[in-house]
Every structure is written in structure tokens, then in C-alpha cells.
Amino acid sequence: MSDRSRDSVPFDAYQSDAGAAQGWTVSDRQTLFDHAYIRIEEATFATPNRADTVRWTIARRKAGVVVAPRLADGRFLLIRQERYPVERVLWEFPAGQIDDLENQDDESTVRATGLRELVEECGHELAEGGELRSLGYFFSSHGFTDEHAYLFLANPVTISDQGPSHEASENILETRAFSVTELNAMIAANEIVDANTLAVFARLNALALI
């Protein structure tokens, strides 16, 4: 771990209506498809930086939480999970969507979701005196969707008495601990390719936490 240190990132909730205060307007919204996990909309946007309007198709998604679990010895836990859309098994940090839509950007709701996913997906929890540290948030594919995920470092973690309890649709094959050196090598070799894990690792590095 680096001997450099920086202040914690304060929890900063995504404000979906922030654009209005900056001169953005949205009109003529139409829902093309609606499902529990995704809603496809088409809408007309006027922005403060262009004279004309533009029509855009957007995938509306629940917000998510991604947690980097670190053991007391400094290694990080990753899960290996089947991912159906890309038909691959990927190494990644535990993550999940926030089901409480009315409070999905509320700090307590976000943190509770992160702690739940930590137990459910990799069977670990915060150790006594441990900290769930905010690392900010990011947009997963901002040209296509409003999906955003809150990033956290859980440090340190220990095995939970509850054990993992995956959803029926999930197939998590294993949980394994990796050193920072191993993670760097896996990222360089394109063995870690999911946006959530790459975003958390970049934020950890930028904040001098690894």
C-alpha cells in the first residue's frame, strides 16, 4: 500500500435534475420499452451549448454500488461470475443495483446496498472497526444510459457468518484474494475487463489507497 495519503472522498450523490439548473431542458419524452431492470426512452434535448435541439434514445437503469473488499493483509477479493450478455466468465469486484428507486441516491441506502452485496456475493463483511469508504461515483456508458454506480473501499473485511447467498439468476463460481501486483498484471493483460472493477481500481490508485 502506498505511503501517500489523501482525504476521503465525501459522499456525493448524483443529482438527476442538475442539468435543469445549468440550462438543459427535456421535452417530448416517449417510453419505447419498460421492464423491471431497464426502461428505454426517446426524448428531445435542448442544451446551453447548441442552438438546435437533438432527439436521443436513453436506457434508464437503476443506480448501482461497487465494493472493493480489502483483507487485513492488503489483498483484494474478487468474484468470478458468469455474465450472460457477453457470454463470458469475468473477474470483478462485488456489485449490485439499488432496488429502492425513491432513495437510490440517498447515502444510507447506497451504503446499505454495498454492505449487503459484500455479504451476498463474496461472503464477507466489514471487520470490527472497519470502514466503508466512499470513492465517488461514475457513469458506466454515458452516451447510452443514465446508469451510475457508487464506488467504495471496504477495509478491512472478514468472513461473514451469513455466508454468500446469491440470487437464483446469478452464477458466481468462486471468490479469490489477489494482491495489488496481481491485479495490475491482470488489468495489463486484459484479464479484468468490466467497467466497474476498472473504475474502482483507477479511483483507488488516484486517491493513493493502493
Side-chain angles (χ1 to χ4, degrees), residues 38-57:
I38 189 169
R39 184 173 75 251
I40 307 298
E41 291 183 355
E42 195 172 70
T44 299
F45 290 83
T47 81
N49 303 301
R50 58 185 299 155
D52 57 342
T53 60
V54 62
R55 192 75 176 164
W56 208 263
T57 303

Side-chain angles (χ1 to χ4, degrees), residues 80-107:
R80 194 164 71 94
Q81 181 171 193
E82 289 186 335
R83 288 302 188 178
Y84 309 118
V86 294
E87 300 179 27
R88 293 180 63 182
V89 179
L90 302 180
W91 283 110
E92 54 193 76
F93 285 130
Q97 290 186 315
I98 301 170
D99 294 325
D100 185 353
L101 295 179
E102 292 186 1
N103 299 295
Q104 68 172 354
D105 295 300
D106 173 75
E107 182 174 3

Side-chain angles (χ1 to χ4, degrees), residues 150-172:
Y150 292 96
L151 312 177
F152 289 94
L153 167 64
N155 181 51
V157 299
T158 188
I159 295 176
S160 171
D161 292 336
Q162 299 179 48
S165 57
H166 314 148
E167 295 182 9
S169 60
E170 294 177 328
N171 193 12
I172 298 174

Side-chain angles (χ1 to χ4, degrees), residues 1-4 70 155 180 208-210:
M1 185 165 47
S2 172
D3 58 2
R4 297 174 298 161
R70 184 158 61 188
N155 181 51
V180 173
L209 295 172
I210 54 176

